[in-house]
Protein backbone atom coordinates (compact mmCIF):
# COMPACT_ATOMS: atom_id res chain seq x y z
CA UNK A 1 0.00 0.00 0.00
CA UNK A 2 1.42 3.43 -0.98
CA UNK A 3 2.25 5.97 1.71
CA UNK A 4 1.70 9.72 1.54
CA UNK A 5 2.38 12.85 3.59
CA UNK A 6 0.27 15.98 3.44
CA UNK A 7 1.83 19.31 2.55
CA UNK A 8 1.75 21.14 5.90
CA UNK A 9 0.67 24.42 4.29
CA UNK A 10 -2.33 22.77 2.63
CA UNK A 11 -4.71 22.54 5.56
CA UNK A 12 -7.98 20.59 5.32
CA UNK A 13 -10.95 22.14 7.13
CA UNK A 14 -14.18 20.24 7.55
CA UNK A 15 -17.65 21.66 6.98
CA UNK A 16 -21.06 20.08 7.49
CA UNK A 17 -21.51 18.83 3.93
CA UNK A 18 -18.02 19.10 2.42
CA UNK A 19 -14.50 20.19 3.29
CA UNK A 20 -11.92 22.60 1.88
CA UNK A 21 -8.16 22.45 1.60
CA UNK A 22 -6.74 25.87 2.44
CA UNK A 23 -3.64 26.27 0.31
CA UNK A 24 -1.64 28.86 2.23
CA UNK A 25 1.24 28.85 -0.25
CA UNK A 26 -0.75 29.76 -3.33
CA UNK A 27 -3.59 31.60 -1.50
CA UNK A 28 -6.08 29.24 -3.08
CA UNK A 29 -8.56 26.58 -2.03
CA UNK A 30 -9.87 23.22 -3.20
CA UNK A 31 -13.12 21.49 -2.30
CA UNK A 32 -12.90 17.90 -1.12
CA UNK A 33 -15.47 15.50 0.28
CA UNK A 34 -15.70 14.92 4.01
CA UNK A 35 -14.62 11.31 3.39
CA UNK A 36 -11.36 12.48 1.82
CA UNK A 37 -11.01 15.02 4.64
CA UNK A 38 -11.01 12.27 7.25
CA UNK A 39 -8.31 10.39 5.32
CA UNK A 40 -5.91 13.28 4.81
CA UNK A 41 -6.51 15.27 8.01
CA UNK A 42 -3.47 13.73 9.60
CA UNK A 43 0.02 14.86 10.45
CA UNK A 44 1.23 11.28 10.16
CA UNK A 45 1.61 8.87 7.28
CA UNK A 46 -1.50 8.70 5.12
CA UNK A 47 -2.71 5.48 3.51
CA UNK A 48 -5.81 4.89 1.39
CA UNK A 49 -7.41 1.58 2.39
CA UNK A 50 -9.07 1.28 -0.96
CA UNK A 51 -6.53 2.89 -3.24
CA UNK A 52 -8.29 1.83 -6.41
CA UNK A 53 -11.54 3.63 -5.51
CA UNK A 54 -9.64 6.77 -4.50
CA UNK A 55 -7.42 6.93 -7.61
CA UNK A 56 -8.98 10.14 -8.97
CA UNK A 57 -8.61 11.90 -5.61
CA UNK A 58 -5.04 10.67 -5.13
CA UNK A 59 -4.05 11.83 -8.63
CA UNK A 60 -5.62 15.23 -7.98
CA UNK A 61 -3.97 15.67 -4.56
CA UNK A 62 -0.57 14.64 -5.94
CA UNK A 63 -0.85 16.89 -8.98
CA UNK A 64 -1.68 19.89 -6.76
CA UNK A 65 1.20 18.96 -4.41
CA UNK A 66 -1.21 18.63 -1.54
CA UNK A 67 0.07 15.10 -0.95
CA UNK A 68 3.56 13.73 -1.51
CA UNK A 69 4.29 10.06 -1.99
CA UNK A 70 7.02 8.71 0.29
CA UNK A 71 9.04 5.52 0.22
CA UNK A 72 10.37 5.57 3.75
CA UNK A 73 8.63 6.48 7.05
CA UNK A 74 11.65 8.49 8.14
CA UNK A 75 10.71 11.14 5.54
CA UNK A 76 7.97 12.20 7.95
CA UNK A 77 10.68 14.05 9.92
CA UNK A 78 11.03 16.45 7.00
CA UNK A 79 7.42 17.60 7.48
CA UNK A 80 7.09 19.22 10.94
CA UNK A 81 3.60 20.39 11.93
CA UNK A 82 2.83 24.08 11.49
CA UNK A 83 2.18 26.00 14.70
CA UNK A 84 -1.37 27.34 14.30
CA UNK A 85 -1.21 29.94 17.06
CA UNK A 86 -1.67 33.58 16.15
CA UNK A 87 0.16 36.49 17.72
CA UNK A 88 0.39 40.11 16.75
CA UNK A 89 2.45 42.90 18.33
CA UNK A 90 -0.37 45.41 17.81
CA UNK A 91 -2.76 46.39 20.60
CA UNK A 92 -5.20 47.29 17.84
CA UNK A 93 -5.02 45.70 14.42
CA UNK A 94 -7.73 47.68 12.62
CA UNK A 95 -9.54 50.93 13.24
CA UNK A 96 -12.47 52.02 11.09
CA UNK A 97 -13.36 55.70 11.21
CA UNK A 98 -15.53 58.16 9.29
CA UNK A 99 -14.17 61.19 7.51
CA UNK A 100 -16.59 63.64 9.16
CA UNK A 101 -14.93 63.31 12.58
CA UNK A 102 -12.08 65.80 12.98
CA UNK A 103 -8.86 64.02 12.14
CA UNK A 104 -6.83 65.80 14.86
CA UNK A 105 -8.97 63.95 17.41
CA UNK A 106 -7.86 60.58 16.00
CA UNK A 107 -4.28 61.73 15.98
CA UNK A 108 -4.61 62.57 19.65
CA UNK A 109 -6.34 59.31 20.60
CA UNK A 110 -4.22 56.95 18.53
CA UNK A 111 -0.99 58.96 18.76
CA UNK A 112 0.73 56.50 21.09
CA UNK A 113 -1.01 53.28 20.07
CA UNK A 114 0.51 50.91 17.52
CA UNK A 115 -2.21 50.30 14.95
CA UNK A 116 -1.76 47.99 11.98
CA UNK A 117 -4.37 49.52 9.71
CA UNK A 118 -6.76 52.46 9.65
CA UNK A 119 -9.72 52.39 7.27
CA UNK A 120 -11.39 55.71 6.54
CA UNK A 121 -14.99 55.74 5.32
CA UNK A 122 -15.46 58.75 3.07
CA UNK A 123 -19.05 59.77 2.36
CA UNK A 124 -18.43 62.33 -0.38
CA UNK A 125 -15.31 62.40 -2.51
CA UNK A 126 -13.41 65.66 -1.96
CA UNK A 127 -9.79 65.59 -3.12
CA UNK A 128 -8.57 68.35 -0.78
CA UNK A 129 -10.29 66.92 2.29
CA UNK A 130 -9.04 63.38 1.56
CA UNK A 131 -5.52 64.67 1.11
CA UNK A 132 -5.74 66.50 4.44
CA UNK A 133 -7.03 63.42 6.29
CA UNK A 134 -4.45 61.03 4.82
CA UNK A 135 -1.64 63.50 5.48
CA UNK A 136 -2.55 63.58 9.18
CA UNK A 137 -3.27 59.86 9.55
CA UNK A 138 0.01 58.97 7.85
CA UNK A 139 1.90 60.71 10.67
CA UNK A 140 0.63 58.07 13.12
CA UNK A 141 2.31 54.73 13.87
CA UNK A 142 0.20 52.92 11.31
CA UNK A 143 1.31 50.30 8.79
CA UNK A 144 -1.44 50.74 6.21
CA UNK A 145 -4.39 52.91 5.29
CA UNK A 146 -7.52 51.82 3.42
CA UNK A 147 -9.67 54.50 1.86
CA UNK A 148 -13.32 53.47 1.55
CA UNK A 149 -15.15 55.74 -0.90
CA UNK A 150 -18.83 54.98 -0.47
CA UNK A 151 -20.27 57.54 -2.88
CA UNK A 152 -21.83 55.64 -5.78
CA UNK A 153 -22.07 56.17 -9.54
CA UNK A 154 -18.80 58.07 -9.87
CA UNK A 155 -16.19 57.54 -12.52
CA UNK A 156 -12.78 57.96 -10.91
CA UNK A 157 -9.56 58.44 -12.82
CA UNK A 158 -5.88 58.32 -11.80
CA UNK A 159 -5.78 62.09 -11.35
CA UNK A 160 -8.26 61.74 -8.47
CA UNK A 161 -5.71 59.78 -6.47
CA UNK A 162 -2.37 61.06 -7.78
CA UNK A 163 -1.78 63.17 -4.66
CA UNK A 164 -1.99 60.06 -2.49
CA UNK A 165 0.92 58.31 -4.16
CA UNK A 166 3.38 60.09 -1.86
CA UNK A 167 1.80 58.52 1.25
CA UNK A 168 3.30 55.07 1.21
CA UNK A 169 0.96 53.70 3.89
CA UNK A 170 -2.00 54.00 1.51
CA UNK A 171 -2.53 50.36 0.68
CA UNK A 172 -5.90 50.22 -1.05
CA UNK A 173 -8.78 52.37 -2.23
CA UNK A 174 -12.17 50.66 -2.25
CA UNK A 175 -14.88 51.89 -4.63
CA UNK A 176 -18.55 50.92 -4.44
CA UNK A 177 -20.89 50.85 -7.39
CA UNK A 178 -18.52 53.26 -9.14
CA UNK A 179 -15.84 52.81 -11.73
CA UNK A 180 -12.18 53.57 -12.18
CA UNK A 181 -10.88 54.41 -15.65
CA UNK A 182 -7.17 54.21 -15.95
CA UNK A 183 -6.26 55.67 -19.35
CA UNK A 184 -3.07 57.47 -18.52
CA UNK A 185 -1.08 56.84 -15.39
CA UNK A 186 -1.09 53.63 -13.41
CA UNK A 187 -1.53 54.55 -9.74
CA UNK A 188 -2.08 50.89 -8.95
CA UNK A 189 1.69 50.49 -8.94
CA UNK A 190 1.51 52.25 -5.59
CA UNK A 191 -1.77 51.06 -4.11
CA UNK A 192 -4.58 48.72 -5.03
CA UNK A 193 -7.85 50.05 -6.39
CA UNK A 194 -10.64 47.59 -5.67
CA UNK A 195 -14.03 48.01 -7.33
CA UNK A 196 -17.17 46.43 -5.83
CA UNK A 197 -20.38 46.29 -7.82
CA UNK A 198 -22.61 46.56 -4.74
CA UNK A 199 -23.16 49.46 -2.34
CA UNK A 200 -21.06 49.84 0.80
CA UNK A 201 -24.19 49.28 2.91
CA UNK A 202 -24.69 45.88 1.28
CA UNK A 203 -21.00 45.03 1.30
CA UNK A 204 -20.52 45.81 4.97
CA UNK A 205 -23.60 43.93 6.17
CA UNK A 206 -22.80 40.38 5.14
CA UNK A 207 -20.34 37.90 3.65
CA UNK A 208 -20.06 37.56 -0.12
CA UNK A 209 -18.13 35.06 -2.19
CA UNK A 210 -15.86 37.81 -3.52
CA UNK A 211 -14.91 38.82 0.04
CA UNK A 212 -13.36 35.43 0.85
CA UNK A 213 -9.60 35.50 1.00
CA UNK A 214 -6.84 33.13 1.97
CA UNK A 215 -3.49 34.13 3.34
CA UNK A 216 -1.33 33.24 6.33
CA UNK A 217 -2.41 36.02 8.67
CA UNK A 218 -6.07 35.73 7.82
CA UNK A 219 -6.12 31.96 8.29
CA UNK A 220 -4.26 31.87 11.59
CA UNK A 221 -6.16 34.81 13.06
CA UNK A 222 -9.52 33.29 12.08
CA UNK A 223 -8.38 29.88 13.32
CA UNK A 224 -7.86 31.34 16.79
CA UNK A 225 -10.28 34.28 16.95
CA UNK A 226 -13.34 35.81 15.35
CA UNK A 227 -11.31 37.91 12.93
CA UNK A 228 -13.93 40.63 12.53
CA UNK A 229 -13.79 41.53 16.23
CA UNK A 230 -10.30 40.59 17.34
CA UNK A 231 -8.35 43.79 18.12
CA UNK A 232 -10.70 45.92 16.00
CA UNK A 233 -12.33 49.27 16.81
CA UNK A 234 -15.07 51.04 14.92
CA UNK A 235 -15.83 54.71 15.60
CA UNK A 236 -19.15 55.60 13.99
CA UNK A 237 -19.97 58.93 12.33
CA UNK A 238 -21.24 60.30 15.66
CA UNK A 239 -18.05 59.35 17.49
CA UNK A 240 -19.47 56.27 19.25
CA UNK A 241 -16.94 53.55 20.12
CA UNK A 242 -18.06 50.10 18.95
CA UNK A 243 -16.64 46.65 18.19
CA UNK A 244 -17.73 46.69 14.55
CA UNK A 245 -19.90 48.42 11.97
CA UNK A 246 -22.99 46.40 12.82
CA UNK A 247 -22.43 46.18 16.57
CA UNK A 248 -25.28 46.83 18.99
CA UNK A 249 -23.16 47.95 21.96
CA UNK A 250 -21.71 51.45 22.42
CA UNK A 251 -18.80 51.84 24.85
CA UNK A 252 -18.46 55.63 24.96
CA UNK A 253 -18.10 58.58 22.63
CA UNK A 254 -14.75 59.99 21.59
CA UNK A 255 -16.20 63.50 21.41
CA UNK A 256 -16.96 63.40 25.12
CA UNK A 257 -14.06 61.55 26.74
CA UNK A 258 -10.40 62.14 27.47
CA UNK A 259 -7.57 60.23 25.83
CA UNK A 260 -6.91 58.31 29.09
CA UNK A 261 -10.54 57.38 29.30
CA UNK A 262 -10.46 56.16 25.69
CA UNK A 263 -7.47 53.93 26.40
CA UNK A 264 -9.18 52.56 29.53
CA UNK A 265 -12.27 51.73 27.47
CA UNK A 266 -10.46 49.87 24.70
CA UNK A 267 -8.39 47.95 27.25
CA UNK A 268 -11.42 46.98 29.33
CA UNK A 269 -12.70 43.39 29.50
CA UNK A 270 -16.11 44.68 28.53
CA UNK A 271 -14.88 46.15 25.24
CA UNK A 272 -12.59 43.19 24.51
CA UNK A 273 -15.18 40.51 25.33
CA UNK A 274 -15.87 39.81 21.66
CA UNK A 275 -12.18 39.63 20.83
CA UNK A 276 -12.07 36.14 22.31
CA UNK A 277 -14.98 34.71 20.32
CA UNK A 278 -13.91 31.85 18.12
CA UNK A 279 -15.56 30.56 14.96
CA UNK A 280 -15.73 27.13 16.56
CA UNK A 281 -17.91 28.66 19.31
CA UNK A 282 -20.31 30.27 16.84
CA UNK A 283 -23.43 28.42 15.73
CA UNK A 284 -23.76 27.78 11.97
CA UNK A 285 -20.25 29.16 11.26
CA UNK A 286 -18.63 26.33 13.22
CA UNK A 287 -20.08 23.97 10.58
CA UNK A 288 -18.93 26.05 7.63
CA UNK A 289 -15.89 25.12 5.55
CA UNK A 290 -15.27 28.82 4.70
CA UNK A 291 -14.91 29.83 8.36
CA UNK A 292 -11.20 30.65 8.17
CA UNK A 293 -11.37 32.68 4.97
CA UNK A 294 -14.42 34.89 5.54
CA UNK A 295 -14.66 38.12 7.51
CA UNK A 296 -18.12 38.09 9.01
CA UNK A 297 -19.35 41.60 9.90
CA UNK A 298 -22.60 40.53 11.62
CA UNK A 299 -22.89 41.15 15.33
CA UNK A 300 -23.23 38.14 17.64
CA UNK A 301 -25.40 37.25 20.62
CA UNK A 302 -25.19 34.38 23.06
CA UNK A 303 -27.50 31.40 22.47
CA UNK A 304 -28.78 30.43 25.93
CA UNK A 305 -29.36 26.81 25.04
CA UNK A 306 -25.91 25.95 23.74
CA UNK A 307 -23.87 28.75 25.33
CA UNK A 308 -22.50 29.37 21.85
CA UNK A 309 -22.65 32.62 19.87
CA UNK A 310 -25.16 33.13 17.08
CA UNK A 311 -26.19 35.78 14.54
CA UNK A 312 -29.63 37.29 14.33
CA UNK A 313 -29.64 37.37 10.55
CA UNK A 314 -28.32 34.78 8.15
CA UNK A 315 -25.11 34.72 6.19
CA UNK A 316 -25.41 34.70 2.40
CA UNK A 317 -23.94 31.19 2.53
CA UNK A 318 -25.82 28.19 3.88
CA UNK A 319 -23.13 25.68 4.93
CA UNK A 320 -25.66 22.92 5.62
CA UNK A 321 -26.51 22.63 1.92
CA UNK A 322 -23.31 24.21 0.49
CA UNK A 323 -25.14 26.91 -1.45
CA UNK A 324 -24.75 30.70 -1.73
CA UNK A 325 -27.80 32.89 -1.93
CA UNK A 326 -28.63 33.32 -5.62
CA UNK A 327 -27.21 29.93 -6.62
CA UNK A 328 -29.56 27.35 -8.05
CA UNK A 329 -30.95 25.19 -5.25
CA UNK A 330 -30.25 27.73 -2.48
CA UNK A 331 -32.62 27.80 0.45
CA UNK A 332 -32.32 29.57 3.76
CA UNK A 333 -31.59 27.86 7.07
CA UNK A 334 -35.17 27.42 8.24
CA UNK A 335 -36.21 25.89 4.88
CA UNK A 336 -33.24 23.53 5.25
CA UNK A 337 -34.47 22.37 8.67
CA UNK A 338 -32.15 24.54 10.80
CA UNK A 339 -33.64 26.66 13.57
CA UNK A 340 -31.43 29.04 15.50
CA UNK A 341 -32.67 31.67 17.95
CA UNK A 342 -31.53 33.21 21.21
CA UNK A 343 -33.02 30.27 23.08
CA UNK A 344 -32.72 27.27 20.81
CA UNK A 345 -30.75 25.50 18.14
CA UNK A 346 -32.35 22.56 16.38
CA UNK A 347 -31.75 20.58 13.22
CA UNK A 348 -34.68 18.82 11.62
CA UNK A 349 -32.63 15.94 10.24
CA UNK A 350 -35.43 14.63 8.04
CA UNK A 351 -35.90 17.95 6.23
CA UNK A 352 -32.16 18.49 5.83
CA UNK A 353 -31.54 14.95 4.58
CA UNK A 354 -34.25 15.33 1.94
CA UNK A 355 -32.86 18.67 0.82
CA UNK A 356 -29.30 17.33 0.58
CA UNK A 357 -30.44 14.26 -1.34
CA UNK A 358 -32.29 16.46 -3.84
CA UNK A 359 -29.30 18.77 -4.29
CA UNK A 360 -26.29 16.53 -4.19
CA UNK A 361 -27.26 12.88 -4.86
CA UNK A 362 -25.85 11.61 -8.13
S1 LIG B 1 -21.65 30.79 7.43
FE1 LIG B 1 -20.25 31.86 8.81
S2 LIG B 1 -18.26 30.98 8.38
FE2 LIG B 1 -19.57 30.48 6.65
S3 LIG B 1 -19.23 32.07 5.15
FE3 LIG B 1 -20.98 32.67 6.40
S4 LIG B 1 -20.12 33.92 8.02
FE4 LIG B 1 -18.42 32.78 7.11
Amino acid sequence: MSKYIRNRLCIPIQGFNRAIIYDLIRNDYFFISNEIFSLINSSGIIKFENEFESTDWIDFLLSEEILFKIENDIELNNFPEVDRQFQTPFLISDVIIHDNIEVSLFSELFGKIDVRNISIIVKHYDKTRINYIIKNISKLEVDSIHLILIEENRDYSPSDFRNLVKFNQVFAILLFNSSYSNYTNNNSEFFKIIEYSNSFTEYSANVYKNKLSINFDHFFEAYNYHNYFNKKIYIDNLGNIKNGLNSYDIFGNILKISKDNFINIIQSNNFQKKWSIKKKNTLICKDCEFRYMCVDPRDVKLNENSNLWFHEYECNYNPFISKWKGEQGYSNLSDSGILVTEKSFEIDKKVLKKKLARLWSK
Side-chain angles (χ1 to χ4, degrees):
M1 191 185 293
S2 302
K3 297 175 185 175
Y4 305 91
I5 289 178
R6 183 175 45 77
N7 185 333
R8 297 297 183 244
L9 292 173
C10 291
I11 302 178
I13 298 294
Q14 189 173 25
F16 181 84
N17 184 45
R18 63 182 173 185
I20 281 180
I21 294 168
Y22 286 60
D23 182 342
L24 301 183
I25 311 164
R26 290 162 288 194
N27 299 343
D28 203 354
Y29 62 93
F30 306 96
F31 291 111
I32 53 170
S33 66
N34 276 338
E35 290 73 36
I36 293 297
F37 168 87
S38 52
L39 289 171
I40 67 168
N41 185 36
S42 162
S43 51
I45 289 168
I46 294 166
K47 294 176 189 164
F48 291 82
E49 288 299 326
N50 193 337
E51 213 156 326
F52 180 70
E53 276 184 15
S54 306
T55 305
D56 287 351
W57 277 114
I58 295 171
D59 287 349
F60 165 72
L61 296 167
L62 287 172
S63 71
E64 294 294 345
E65 297 181 336
I66 294 163
L67 288 188
F68 301 109
K69 197 168 185 175
I70 58 162
E71 301 302 331
N72 194 322
D73 291 9
I74 205 147
E75 291 180 56
L76 189 59
N77 297 337
N78 300 330
F79 291 79
E81 254 310 326
V82 172
D83 180 359
R84 295 189 188 179
Q85 286 183 46
F86 178 78
Q87 275 161 357
T88 164
F90 299 100
L91 168 64
I92 301 297
S93 65
D94 289 272
V95 179
I96 304 175
I97 56 177
H98 286 257
D99 68 324
N100 65 307
I101 306 271
E102 185 42 52
V103 70
S104 57
L105 192 54
F106 293 118
S107 306
E108 197 191 317
L109 295 178
F110 291 102
K112 292 226 159 48
I113 303 174
D114 278 354
V115 176
R116 186 183 61 184
N117 176 70
I118 294 189
S119 297
I120 307 151
I121 300 175
V122 177
K123 194 169 178 192
H124 296 295
Y125 172 80
D126 174 339
K127 206 180 198 169
T128 316
R129 171 104 183 120
I130 289 175
N131 204 49
Y132 166 76
I133 293 171
I134 299 284
K135 189 176 165 191
N136 282 283
I137 297 280
S138 68
K139 289 178 190 157
L140 299 173
E141 291 286 326
V142 52
D143 275 18
S144 64
I145 299 172
H146 281 67
L147 202 54
I148 302 173
L149 305 183
I150 65 174
E151 195 174 345
E152 296 179 33
N153 302 314
R154 282 196 66 116
D155 183 19
Y156 294 97
S157 69
S159 64
D160 291 319
F161 306 127
R162 195 162 294 137
N163 280 346
L164 303 180
V165 166
K166 59 180 178 283
F167 303 113
N168 52 20
Q169 292 119 310
V170 177
F171 180 74
I173 298 175
L174 282 64
L175 310 177
F176 294 88
N177 201 11
S178 283
S179 57
Y180 176 69
S181 313
N182 188 0
Y183 303 119
T184 49
N185 184 10
N186 194 357
N187 285 334
S188 55
E189 284 172 26
F190 302 95
F191 40 75
K192 288 195 263 184
I193 295 191
I194 307 169
E195 297 172 57
Y196 292 98
S197 56
N198 44 4
S199 68
F200 178 68
T201 311
E202 256 184 312
Y203 168 89
S204 58
N206 212 318
V207 174
Y208 294 87
K209 220 177 190 174
N210 65 356
K211 283 170 76 179
L212 301 174
S213 76
I214 296 189
N215 60 54
F216 268 81
D217 281 352
H218 190 165
F219 177 84
F220 290 112
E221 183 175 23
Y223 192 83
N224 291 280
Y225 304 100
H226 190 303
N227 56 352
Y228 186 72
F229 294 118
N230 184 41
K231 293 179 177 264
K232 313 288 189 295
I233 299 180
Y234 169 57
I235 313 280
D236 74 12
N237 58 352
L238 301 173
N240 294 316
I241 305 164
K242 298 181 175 179
N243 289 122
L245 261 92
N246 303 305
S247 293
Y248 312 112
D249 300 325
I250 295 173
F251 297 88
N253 188 300
I254 60 164
L255 304 176
K256 298 175 187 156
I257 56 174
S258 67
K259 183 180 166 186
D260 287 347
N261 218 335
F262 174 71
I263 292 181
N264 287 340
I265 287 173
I266 63 170
Q267 288 188 323
S268 69
N269 291 340
N270 197 21
F271 182 75
Q272 294 186 4
K273 189 170 148 195
K274 287 184 180 159
W275 291 12
S276 57
I277 296 174
K278 296 179 191 329
K279 289 278 174 86
K280 67 177 180 193
N281 298 335
T282 308
L283 287 166
I284 312 299
C285 295
K286 73 183 181 57
D287 291 305
C288 177
E289 64 278 21
F290 291 119
R291 63 190 176 275
Y292 303 135
M293 67 170 99
C294 75
V295 181
D296 179 4
R298 298 168 300 155
D299 204 359
V300 284
K301 286 189 168 178
L302 210 56
N303 173 281
E304 291 169 14
N305 188 31
S306 60
N307 216 20
L308 297 174
W309 297 92
F310 82 105
H311 304 94
E312 281 192 317
Y313 61 92
E314 284 187 30
C315 174
N316 285 326
Y317 181 65
N318 180 344
F320 290 89
I321 57 167
S322 314
K323 289 283 178 191
W324 288 92
K325 203 177 214 166
E327 278 182 347
Q328 200 178 9
Y330 169 84
S331 55
N332 64 19
L333 289 172
S334 68
D335 289 346
S336 313
I338 318 292
L339 180 75
V340 54
T341 69
E342 212 150 341
K343 296 208 186 302
S344 64
F345 175 69
E346 287 159 30
I347 299 182
D348 186 330
K349 288 186 182 150
K350 252 191 190 164
V351 173
L352 183 57
K353 203 173 160 193
K354 238 191 207 171
K355 187 128 283 199
L356 284 170
R358 207 175 310 139
L359 284 171
W360 296 105
S361 291
K362 285 179 191 146

